[in-house]
Amino acid sequence: GKTGHSVIGQIPKIPAKHRRNVLEYITQKPNSVAAESVRNLRTSLLLANLDTPPKIIMSTSSVPGEGKTTQSITLAQNFAGLGAKVLLIEGDLRRRVLDEYFGHDQKHGFLSVISGEVPLEKAIVHDETLKADILYGEQSTINAADLFSSNTFSDFITGLREHYDHIIIDTPPVLAVPDARVIGQLVDAVIYTVQWDSTPHRQVLDGLKSLQSVNVRVSGLVLSQIDGNKMKRYGYADSYGDYSSYYQK
């Protein structure tokens, strides 16, 4: 509430030992609090943009390690579960993390497509569990912010609108590099992940300000990695839904 932005999602810690197991957990436990909370996030996101349902959604955070990539992946899966055609883009050219969640061997990413080296369909991987397409990032010597600011990139993103119902771009943290501020100009909705009970308030405000300063409107905050037991101790259980039953599973 102190940020002037509403909280549109509250995602509990997903009890997966490895990132590879996150998607599997959500898929196999569709009635778990985690799966339910992702559904709620999707609904809030659509309600926050009622006039024009968001086609291109950017997922970002203040600093690394807040859970924004998990949000990107689970949201992509959720939209795809509704029968929508979904593309998940790894918008981070510096630290590639999607490989830690999926086991594809794909050497082409979106740089290969933008440069005209390969057609889009050659670079895209369809993931059966995700039920969506993935376009990986690629390490590059090109300055990422320059690339994202280019007309080539904005034409590429505009072109994707014709092929997909929803495109989710997982971008680097706002305070780390300028990429999200640039990519944010091209999207319809922005979800901003804040690790619950961890990220300093100052950092969140600084991150949000850096987006506002370039007129990127944040649709809402997502509190991630919520610990239900801790929440109870803080006396939050009623306002945030009681996660205790979930933690016994």
Side-chain angles (χ1 to χ4, degrees):
K2 293 181 198 159
T3 61
H5 289 82
S6 57
V7 173
I8 59 168
Q10 291 151 7
I11 315 284
K13 263 187 184 151
I14 295 173
K17 276 205 175 64
H18 303 289
R19 284 178 159 169
R20 291 250 164 126
N21 306 124
V22 166
L23 206 54
E24 199 182 349
Y25 179 87
I26 297 275
T27 310
Q28 289 172 359
K29 296 188 184 299
N31 299 321
S32 65
V33 171
E36 190 60 47
S37 62
V38 176
R39 279 195 290 275
N40 290 343
L41 168 59
R42 178 202 76 215
T43 306
S44 304
L45 195 55
L46 294 174
L47 290 175
N49 301 271
L50 255 186
D51 298 337
T52 46
K55 226 175 192 195
I56 303 183
I57 298 160
M58 177 172 93
S59 174
T60 193
S61 61
S62 311
V63 290
E66 298 200 66
K68 69 172 178 59
T69 302
T70 298
Q71 256 66 287
S72 303
I73 290 170
T74 52
L75 197 57
Q77 185 195 38
N78 202 284
F79 276 121
L82 295 174
K85 195 169 183 221
V86 180
L87 174 65
L88 172 64
I89 298 180
E90 181 164 35
D92 194 335
L93 300 182
R94 296 171 181 82
R95 284 180 63 221
R96 294 192 47 201
V97 294
L98 282 188
D99 281 340
E100 294 172 29
Y101 291 86
F102 302 100
H104 309 125
D105 185 21
Q106 170 58 295
K107 63 178 191 291
H108 295 298
F110 73 75
L111 283 183
S112 302
V113 180
I114 291 173
S115 67
E117 193 188 320
V118 298
L120 181 66
E121 54 275 14
K122 270 240 168 82
I124 275 169
V125 182
H126 184 79
D127 187 84
E128 285 307 319
T129 311
L130 191 66
K131 292 188 170 56
D133 290 347
I134 301 172
L135 186 57
Y136 285 99
E138 277 173 283
Q139 305 248 264
S140 164
T141 51
I142 303 169
N143 177 297
D146 289 350
L147 170 77
F148 294 135
S149 306
S150 69
N151 288 338
T152 314
F153 182 72
S154 74
D155 292 347
F156 168 66
I157 293 296
T158 305
L160 288 176
R161 284 179 182 271
E162 292 162 31
H163 299 285
Y164 290 94
D165 299 313
H166 297 288
I167 296 150
I168 295 173
I169 308 176
D170 189 53
T171 64
V174 178
L175 295 178
V177 288
D179 307 6
R181 298 204 294 273
V182 179
I183 294 173
Q185 310 288 332
L186 307 171
V187 307
D188 307 324
V190 176
I191 58 171
Y192 196 100
T193 297
V194 176
Q195 187 178 349
W196 182 75
D197 200 34
S198 168
T199 316
H201 192 234
R202 177 82 261 149
Q203 275 188 331
V204 177
L205 287 178
D206 287 351
L208 290 168
K209 256 195 209 117
S210 79
L211 290 176
Q212 278 157 358
S213 69
V214 290
N215 296 319
V216 172
R217 197 178 73 80
V218 171
S219 307
L221 305 181
V222 178
L223 301 182
S224 71
Q225 301 174 31
I226 294 173
D227 180 328
N229 298 325
K230 252 194 202 170
M231 221 172 208
K232 267 185 148 163
R233 285 202 295 278
Y234 293 166
Y236 280 139
D238 299 336
S239 57
Y240 285 91
D242 185 355
Y243 289 123
S244 61
S245 57
Y246 163 82
Y247 286 97
Q248 288 152 16
K249 283 180 189 168

